[in-house]
Amino acid sequence: MIAEIIINSNVKNLNKTFDYNIPFDMEKKISIGSRVLVKFGNIKKLEEGFVVNIKDCSEFKVKDIAVVEEKDFIDEPKVEMAKWMARRYFCNVSDCIKLMLPPGTGTKNMQKRVKEKSLNSVRLLKNQLQIDEDIENKILKSEKQIKVLRFLIDNDDVLITDLEVITEVSKAIIKTLEKNGYVEIYEKQIERNPFLHKVVEKNVSLSLTEEQQYAYNMVENAIEDYMNSEFLLYGVTGSGKTEVYLQLIEKVINSGKSSIMLVPEISLTPQTVDRFIARFGQDNIAVLHSKLSVGERYDQWYKIKTGKAKIVIGARSAVFAPVENLGIIIIDEEHDSSYKSEMTPRYNVKDVARYLGRKYNIPIVYGSATPDMDTYYRALNGDIELLELTKRANNSKLPNVEIVDLKQELANGNRSMISMKLYDAIEKNLKDKKQTILFLNRRGYSTFVMCRDCGFTAKCKNCNITMTYHIKQNKLKCHYCGYECNALTICPDCQSKNIRYFGTGTQKLEAEINKLFPSASTIRMDVDTVSKKNSHEEILSKFKNENIDILIGTQMVVKGHHFPNVTLVGVIAADTNLNIDDYRASERTFQILTQVAGRAGREKNEGNVIIQTYNPDNFSIEFSKKQDYKLFYNIESKLRKQLKYPPFCDIILLGFSSENENDIKKVCLEVHKYLKDKIENENIPIILYKPVPAPIDKIKNKFRWRIIIKCKFGENIINIINDCINNVFNKKNSSVSMIIDVNPNNML
Ligand code: ADP
Ligand code: ZN
Ligand code: ZN
């Protein structure tokens, strides 16, 4: 027997199968999906590969498979899915298979790693400055050592096993670092899965409202009839979508099947999980979360694989969990951008769910208060069944939303970032002992630094992007590559001392609030305060339990939290998202304002929302005041149609980067020419744009160019692009790397 094998490598040229002989004594141990080691080319050590097909004979002279590592890691349908994804997302099949493997097994010695999980942790003994100095002075040279230290700077105190897997270095490297005094390896009491340890009081199903019942019945029918239907559960915040999910999952369990429940990474909190535990008990539930250690994730994976857990709750990648007998996939907050991967494979989890839905004839349920334009468009077209929940389930009212025109505020002489109205509202809230959330979507202190005499702005030396001032360390930081330098007092161009710091970030906002309301307690949540394991959770529970007066934060404060005592939400600058160079700017603004408003007055107390903006007439701001999604959709979709943007057309971005700009230009032109010829021959409606530098044309010292294609994403264009990769790009041996992203989150 012959096995077709895919080598586990992201080298583009290896994205094909190679035939190997299955020795007689291995025949019983090998099936499609098995992980094997083979001798490959002239390489001395054995290479890892996956069996993707088994056949009787080969036209080539073949070598034997050397070792079978593991059978039944993944099954044949998973291999099929990986192949489907690789074509559609323009990556290697092995990149996709990796998503489906048990956590921590992407590299060798899986068994050993899992066993060692209770042994050792690593923490830094030197700080970033000392490390940077040693690198500069060439005391630290080994790239691998530097990689480990860099990782630890961002994530101090990690399990050694995790460190090995994530940074792909051996334990020897870490030991060397210990010997040289950079890190300490010590024994830490391992926490158990923080999502599944406490005793949660059991609860039972609520009796559904009429709207909930209707929605439930529609999906129930699809479950009973083995139908692959898609549903959009469109319901305002607090309308009881989760209760519908819970009862659908119960139905699926009762029919002997399993469920996948996807939630955005950031709202995958113990509170979310508790609602499921309360209904179904711990034993039935597996939680997959990036904050878990590799060992913990492995345990969860195994609990699913063995069929013990019937419900999988997790972020995006949980869609690949080894669930047998899948009965439903639910995607909550389906508009959330974390459902689209920004790393290879650049998949959209909704595509993958739809694929599984068709394959297993099961329903897919999308839920949101502000659906993705694309989902709603498909609902209007009848591809998705629209189910609406128009009222809040516990009869709490939607909050009052007021818009404050900051231009007017300036004209009235108020130069502060807090309008009179917001000031009064905060003051009143403090007096009433209620809590306030202030939302500002920029972190740091000032967002750019400029010389008033010559106009010089401080930019990162690696990226063509302005640096943000962070007051605590008195440093300028690049939010793209992490580069830091000392704050400026003298202009490097004209030596003027007239340096001004412009723009407002969360740090400055917090300082201002502390000045305006000295007796109020505040807590801040943004990437700078959230870095260690669980600390996001800690900030939120501190805010809730210690009744802190004011929570100040970025995007992170927006999602799905439930704070009964929050009655005021202030949006400091609604415009921050409007001015970005992205076709989704209005959609994001509307979504974020509506979601943030939904945090106010979720129980008995009435909620108030104050939105400050320089563009009070902008429709995405105006309609978020009314929380009217449909009005918003109608206007936005007309614009999108005119401009040929999704959902009417897809955008395919071919991004090129290299330290050598000439190489990029050359490769771009060749790729462009190939695509142009192909498209003309095919005579299909595709708009192909000329190669141009990306809006941010340099990041981490790499130049960035792009080609944009607009068309309906389908077989035609998939074929053309895959041909282009094989016939043009992969034939070049240049410094240029290319990514291909369909409807990317970030157009910069
Ligand atoms: P969503 O997921 O749409 O934000 P939730 O499911 O969290 O809404 O429901 C909001 C609140 O309403 C919760 O406190 C929930 O317990 C309550 N609730 C939901 N459905 C019902 C119902 N049928 N009867 C009574 N209360 C309900
Ligand atoms: Zn100057
Ligand atoms: Zn940078």
Side-chain angles (χ1 to χ4, degrees), residues 308-338:
K308 213 175 145 229
K310 297 275 185 267
I311 305 164
V312 179
I313 307 175
R316 180 177 72 217
S317 60
V319 82
F320 302 109
V323 177
E324 302 279 329
N325 214 354
L326 187 60
I328 195 169
I329 301 177
I330 299 171
I331 306 181
D332 190 30
E333 309 279 359
E334 62 88 33
H335 60 275
D336 194 273
S337 57
S338 71

Side-chain angles (χ1 to χ4, degrees), residues 451-456 491-496 499:
C451 165
R452 295 203 121 184
D453 288 332
C454 74
F456 164 88
C491 169
D493 273 11
C494 76
Q495 272 68 50
S496 158
I499 302 281

Side-chain angles (χ1 to χ4, degrees), residues 164-182:
E164 281 178 276
V165 173
I166 295 164
T167 59
E168 291 174 334
V169 302
S170 65
K171 201 163 174 179
I173 303 271
I174 302 167
K175 285 254 165 76
T176 312
L177 283 171
E178 185 186 35
K179 206 177 72 202
N180 296 341
Y182 288 97

Side-chain angles (χ1 to χ4, degrees), residues 459-465 467 477-483 698-701:
K459 287 194 167 173
C460 172
K461 67 170 187 167
N462 307 319
C463 315
N464 196 4
I465 196 135
M467 310 264 288
K477 287 191 188 178
C478 168
H479 287 177
Y480 273 80
C481 73
Y483 172 73
K698 197 173 130 196
I699 290 181
K700 294 187 193 168
N701 285 321

Side-chain angles (χ1 to χ4, degrees), residues 492-508:
D493 273 11
C494 76
Q495 272 68 50
S496 158
K497 286 191 176 156
N498 209 351
I499 302 281
R500 273 252 350 230
Y501 286 70
F502 290 92
T504 303
T506 41
Q507 285 184 350
K508 191 165 166 183

Side-chain angles (χ1 to χ4, degrees), residues 214-428:
Y214 176 78
Y216 173 86
N217 290 348
M218 294 297 284
V219 187
E220 182 186 42
N221 288 342
I223 296 170
E224 283 174 352
D225 298 344
Y226 296 98
M227 254 178 0
N228 161 227
S229 321
E230 295 173 67
F231 299 91
L232 168 59
L233 187 57
Y234 160 49
V236 293
T237 47
S239 58
K241 296 185 288 295
T242 310
E243 183 63 31
V244 176
Y245 306 150
L246 287 165
Q247 300 200 17
L248 286 171
I249 290 173
E250 188 170 352
K251 167 79 194 174
V252 168
I253 289 186
N254 289 340
S255 59
K257 293 187 167 187
S258 302
S259 311
I260 294 181
M261 173 81 218
L262 300 180
V263 296
E265 180 77 50
I266 195 154
S267 43
L268 185 49
T269 61
Q271 282 96 301
T272 313
V273 176
D274 282 355
R275 290 185 73 175
F276 290 82
I277 296 177
R279 198 62 62 84
F280 302 107
Q282 298 221 4
D283 291 347
N284 283 311
I285 297 174
V287 182
L288 294 172
H289 192 286
S290 62
K291 288 260 170 74
L292 305 181
S293 72
V294 174
E296 286 168 336
R297 261 182 288 154
Y298 182 84
D299 294 345
Q300 296 296 307
W301 192 92
Y302 206 70
K303 194 171 166 187
I304 303 164
K305 178 85 182 164
T306 52
K308 213 175 145 229
K310 297 275 185 267
I311 305 164
V312 179
I313 307 175
R316 180 177 72 217
S317 60
V319 82
F320 302 109
V323 177
E324 302 279 329
N325 214 354
L326 187 60
I328 195 169
I329 301 177
I330 299 171
I331 306 181
D332 190 30
E333 309 279 359
E334 62 88 33
H335 60 275
D336 194 273
S337 57
S338 71
Y339 288 130
K340 163 79 175 60
S341 168
E342 298 294 287
M343 293 176 298
T344 305
R346 295 169 182 267
Y347 65 96
N348 187 323
V349 84
K350 285 184 258 181
D351 296 340
V352 178
R354 208 172 298 139
Y355 170 93
L356 290 170
R358 277 197 302 270
K359 187 156 189 146
Y360 297 112
N361 281 316
I362 57 166
I364 311 294
V365 178
Y366 312 99
S368 176
T370 52
D372 188 329
M373 293 278 295
D374 190 55
T375 312
Y376 198 71
Y377 173 77
R378 294 184 60 234
L380 293 182
N381 281 346
D383 296 340
I384 298 180
E385 184 94 37
L386 182 62
L387 306 168
E388 287 192 56
L389 304 179
T390 56
K391 297 187 259 318
R392 279 192 163 177
N394 55 6
N395 283 325
S396 67
K397 279 198 288 186
L398 283 172
N400 309 309
V401 183
E402 271 185 276
I403 293 181
V404 173
D405 183 351
L406 288 174
K407 289 190 305 260
Q408 199 58 46
E409 204 69 24
L410 261 180
N412 294 343
N414 179 6
R415 310 196 121 266
S416 121
M417 61 187 106
I418 306 291
S419 63
M420 285 316 293
K421 213 169 221 145
L422 183 54
Y423 182 91
D424 291 344
I426 297 175
E427 195 168 44
K428 176 165 186 306

